[in-house]
Amino acid sequence: MLNKEQDIFNALFEGVSEGVLVVNTNQKIVSVNSSVEKMFGYDNGELIDQLLPVLIPKNYHAGHGAHFDGFMKQKEKRKMGVGRDLFGAKKSGEIFPLEVGLNPFKIDETTYIMALIVDVSVRKQQEEQILLLNEQLEKKVKERTKELSTSVKELKVLNIELDKENKKRIEAENKTKDALKKEKELNELKTKFLSLVSHEFKTPLSGILTSAMLLGKYKLTEQQQKRDKHLQTITNKVHYLNNILNDFLSLEILETGKVKYKFYTFRLSKVVNEVVYNANMLLKEGQRIKYPEDIDEISLTQDEKTVELALSNLVNNAIKYSPVNTEIIINIKQGKKFTTITIKDNGIGIPEADQKNIFNRYFRAENALLSEGTGIGLNIIKNHLQNLGGTLTFESEENVGSTFTMKIMNIAK
Ligand code: ADP
């Protein structure tokens, strides 16, 4: 029976694929199976009676004694070397990784320890390979991510460039559109200009012609008064035409940027008096101009001609667009930097719908068409005033009146 049990034990001992090794408390090897011999490269029976450290790499010998004693104190079944890698030393000196399970047991009061040993070289190699593969994979992922972010950056740059191109194209398109619009506007202006010239010149010219023809008929000395009257008409109409031509000239000068302002210091009262004096000749019946007479201390360092042109234009318009028996009031205020001049009338006013266009060249409000005019004056003087850092604005109500306000710098820059 004993022999049979021994046989079964031997069969099991030899049959397991793990290495099985038994030592006594003095670390003397008392039994090994062939797996252990194969694993460590020993011949059959060669390990018996050898001390355990023969299977342990030399550099672990120092620590091994303490580990063994520690285990002997506790004497319970456990895995060896938890948390650290274990290595075995082959007879050839080659070192290889292993895992060991420890099982203490007793036979006849003598304690033995059975160690179950597994060679984990292949597994470790595989683990290392997996680690290596993982590292390579991570590296690749990083590289790809970098490549991707570079591509994304490049795409962004490309996008920005495309955006720029697009903007440029839109700008070019808009420029073309603008140019076309300007050309159209120019054509419209030309047409307007031609019809205006033919209309505005035709009436005075035919007046001049009539007066000239009649002049020739008054041959007698006593008809001098009649001759004078026609001569006056001719002079007036020539002046009128001359003024229109001057306006066109101003336009041309403004347009080409050839305006040259001359700045010097003058008294505003001088300009006001001159404008009012000239305007008085144009007044309709019962019309009156009220203007400040206590402005001797107000001086401007400006282009006098332009200030005069602006003021006379505004006052002449006030007269032209107001009926008989009305008052035109000029007000003047000098501030620290600017002087403000307002010209108020109780005239026909400007219809609300036309107000937005009033400074456009050749524009005339619908209710002004019965009076002579070219629609140039306001456009010219607004441009001039703006060139000089000033402004021209107005408030108006149809059939009530208008107030034009010009603001000029006391000292032109
Ligand atoms: P013009 O008087 O030769 O037509 P302006 O440029 O001086 O040209 O004026 C443009 C238009 O503004 C006038 O045709 C008129 O419709 C309107 N306007 C100007 N001043 C007045 C005013 N004081 N009252 C009413 N309408 C005015």
Side-chain angles (χ1 to χ4, degrees), residues 312-322 345 377-378 381 404:
S312 70
N313 247 291
L314 297 174
V315 173
N316 293 353
N317 275 351
I319 297 170
K320 185 162 66 168
Y321 298 114
S322 299
D345 66 52
L378 288 183
I381 64 172
F404 279 82

mmCIF file of all heavy atoms in Angstrom, residues 312-322 345 377-378 381 404:
data_model
loop_
_atom_site.group_PDB
_atom_site.id
_atom_site.type_symbol
_atom_site.label_atom_id
_atom_site.label_comp_id
_atom_site.label_asym_id
_atom_site.label_seq_id
_atom_site.Cartn_x
_atom_site.Cartn_y
_atom_site.Cartn_z
ATOM 1 N N SER A 312 -22.947 134.669 -47.944
ATOM 2 C CA SER A 312 -23.780 135.320 -48.958
ATOM 3 C C SER A 312 -24.698 134.304 -49.625
ATOM 4 O O SER A 312 -25.849 134.587 -49.917
ATOM 5 C CB SER A 312 -22.928 136.072 -49.981
ATOM 6 O OG SER A 312 -22.248 135.159 -50.772
ATOM 7 N N ASN A 313 -24.202 133.075 -49.823
ATOM 8 C CA ASN A 313 -25.058 132.034 -50.389
ATOM 9 C C ASN A 313 -26.281 131.780 -49.527
ATOM 10 O O ASN A 313 -27.407 131.686 -50.027
ATOM 11 C CB ASN A 313 -24.259 130.732 -50.457
ATOM 12 C CG ASN A 313 -24.000 130.303 -51.877
ATOM 13 O OD1 ASN A 313 -24.915 129.916 -52.570
ATOM 14 N ND2 ASN A 313 -22.752 130.421 -52.306
ATOM 15 N N LEU A 314 -26.031 131.673 -48.205
ATOM 16 C CA LEU A 314 -27.129 131.355 -47.277
ATOM 17 C C LEU A 314 -28.115 132.517 -47.183
ATOM 18 O O LEU A 314 -29.338 132.311 -47.167
ATOM 19 C CB LEU A 314 -26.567 130.989 -45.898
ATOM 20 C CG LEU A 314 -25.691 129.722 -45.897
ATOM 21 C CD1 LEU A 314 -25.050 129.512 -44.531
ATOM 22 C CD2 LEU A 314 -26.510 128.491 -46.279
ATOM 23 N N VAL A 315 -27.572 133.741 -47.163
ATOM 24 C CA VAL A 315 -28.469 134.899 -47.066
ATOM 25 C C VAL A 315 -29.253 135.061 -48.367
ATOM 26 O O VAL A 315 -30.471 135.284 -48.349
ATOM 27 C CB VAL A 315 -27.657 136.181 -46.736
ATOM 28 C CG1 VAL A 315 -28.551 137.409 -46.802
ATOM 29 C CG2 VAL A 315 -27.026 136.060 -45.357
ATOM 30 N N ASN A 316 -28.572 134.894 -49.514
ATOM 31 C CA ASN A 316 -29.273 135.011 -50.799
ATOM 32 C C ASN A 316 -30.381 133.970 -50.942
ATOM 33 O O ASN A 316 -31.459 134.261 -51.451
ATOM 34 C CB ASN A 316 -28.290 134.883 -51.965
ATOM 35 C CG ASN A 316 -27.345 136.069 -52.013
ATOM 36 O OD1 ASN A 316 -27.516 137.023 -51.251
ATOM 37 N ND2 ASN A 316 -26.349 136.014 -52.893
ATOM 38 N N ASN A 317 -30.087 132.728 -50.482
ATOM 39 C CA ASN A 317 -31.127 131.682 -50.516
ATOM 40 C C ASN A 317 -32.311 132.090 -49.644
ATOM 41 O O ASN A 317 -33.470 131.910 -50.032
ATOM 42 C CB ASN A 317 -30.567 130.363 -50.005
ATOM 43 C CG ASN A 317 -29.873 129.580 -51.102
ATOM 44 O OD1 ASN A 317 -29.950 129.953 -52.277
ATOM 45 N ND2 ASN A 317 -29.171 128.520 -50.735
ATOM 46 N N ALA A 318 -31.999 132.619 -48.443
ATOM 47 C CA ALA A 318 -33.076 133.012 -47.517
ATOM 48 C C ALA A 318 -33.975 134.043 -48.202
ATOM 49 O O ALA A 318 -35.213 133.983 -48.078
ATOM 50 C CB ALA A 318 -32.476 133.569 -46.237
ATOM 51 N N ILE A 319 -33.363 134.981 -48.939
ATOM 52 C CA ILE A 319 -34.156 135.991 -49.636
ATOM 53 C C ILE A 319 -34.968 135.345 -50.755
ATOM 54 O O ILE A 319 -36.182 135.534 -50.875
ATOM 55 C CB ILE A 319 -33.222 137.081 -50.227
ATOM 56 C CG1 ILE A 319 -32.499 137.812 -49.091
ATOM 57 C CG2 ILE A 319 -34.007 138.049 -51.115
ATOM 58 C CD1 ILE A 319 -31.388 138.738 -49.563
ATOM 59 N N LYS A 320 -34.230 134.504 -51.542
ATOM 60 C CA LYS A 320 -34.858 133.892 -52.724
ATOM 61 C C LYS A 320 -36.046 133.011 -52.348
ATOM 62 O O LYS A 320 -37.068 133.014 -53.011
ATOM 63 C CB LYS A 320 -33.792 133.084 -53.475
ATOM 64 C CG LYS A 320 -34.250 132.497 -54.770
ATOM 65 C CD LYS A 320 -33.092 132.096 -55.685
ATOM 66 C CE LYS A 320 -32.258 130.973 -55.133
ATOM 67 N NZ LYS A 320 -31.338 130.410 -56.134
ATOM 68 N N TYR A 321 -35.873 132.254 -51.244
ATOM 69 C CA TYR A 321 -36.916 131.282 -50.893
ATOM 70 C C TYR A 321 -37.877 131.794 -49.819
ATOM 71 O O TYR A 321 -38.532 131.014 -49.148
ATOM 72 C CB TYR A 321 -36.270 129.954 -50.480
ATOM 73 C CG TYR A 321 -35.484 129.345 -51.611
ATOM 74 C CD1 TYR A 321 -34.105 129.214 -51.560
ATOM 75 C CD2 TYR A 321 -36.152 128.920 -52.773
ATOM 76 C CE1 TYR A 321 -33.388 128.673 -52.613
ATOM 77 C CE2 TYR A 321 -35.435 128.384 -53.841
ATOM 78 C CZ TYR A 321 -34.061 128.263 -53.758
ATOM 79 O OH TYR A 321 -33.363 127.742 -54.817
ATOM 80 N N SER A 322 -37.951 133.153 -49.659
ATOM 81 C CA SER A 322 -38.929 133.731 -48.721
ATOM 82 C C SER A 322 -39.815 134.709 -49.467
ATOM 83 O O SER A 322 -39.357 135.381 -50.396
ATOM 84 C CB SER A 322 -38.223 134.489 -47.594
ATOM 85 O OG SER A 322 -37.411 133.610 -46.872
ATOM 86 N N ASP A 345 -34.948 132.157 -41.774
ATOM 87 C CA ASP A 345 -35.960 132.847 -42.606
ATOM 88 C C ASP A 345 -37.347 132.289 -42.332
ATOM 89 O O ASP A 345 -37.485 131.221 -41.727
ATOM 90 C CB ASP A 345 -35.594 132.724 -44.095
ATOM 91 C CG ASP A 345 -35.657 131.299 -44.599
ATOM 92 O OD1 ASP A 345 -36.699 130.643 -44.404
ATOM 93 O OD2 ASP A 345 -34.647 130.825 -45.173
ATOM 94 N N GLY A 377 -25.011 125.705 -55.064
ATOM 95 C CA GLY A 377 -24.466 126.561 -54.000
ATOM 96 C C GLY A 377 -24.224 125.852 -52.682
ATOM 97 O O GLY A 377 -23.111 125.881 -52.149
ATOM 98 N N LEU A 378 -25.258 125.189 -52.144
ATOM 99 C CA LEU A 378 -25.113 124.542 -50.829
ATOM 100 C C LEU A 378 -24.040 123.465 -50.869
ATOM 101 O O LEU A 378 -23.260 123.306 -49.932
ATOM 102 C CB LEU A 378 -26.443 123.930 -50.381
ATOM 103 C CG LEU A 378 -27.541 124.908 -49.956
ATOM 104 C CD1 LEU A 378 -28.761 124.135 -49.462
ATOM 105 C CD2 LEU A 378 -27.037 125.836 -48.853
ATOM 106 N N ILE A 381 -20.597 125.227 -50.736
ATOM 107 C CA ILE A 381 -20.168 125.821 -49.465
ATOM 108 C C ILE A 381 -20.022 124.778 -48.357
ATOM 109 O O ILE A 381 -19.166 124.898 -47.496
ATOM 110 C CB ILE A 381 -21.061 127.012 -49.028
ATOM 111 C CG1 ILE A 381 -22.487 126.572 -48.760
ATOM 112 C CG2 ILE A 381 -21.008 128.144 -50.036
ATOM 113 C CD1 ILE A 381 -23.317 127.691 -48.142
ATOM 114 N N PHE A 404 -30.355 127.857 -41.339
ATOM 115 C CA PHE A 404 -29.086 127.232 -41.713
ATOM 116 C C PHE A 404 -28.032 127.655 -40.703
ATOM 117 O O PHE A 404 -27.991 128.812 -40.285
ATOM 118 C CB PHE A 404 -28.670 127.644 -43.132
ATOM 119 C CG PHE A 404 -29.384 126.844 -44.185
ATOM 120 C CD1 PHE A 404 -30.678 127.185 -44.584
ATOM 121 C CD2 PHE A 404 -28.784 125.730 -44.757
ATOM 122 C CE1 PHE A 404 -31.337 126.430 -45.537
ATOM 123 C CE2 PHE A 404 -29.441 124.973 -45.705
ATOM 124 C CZ PHE A 404 -30.727 125.323 -46.108
#
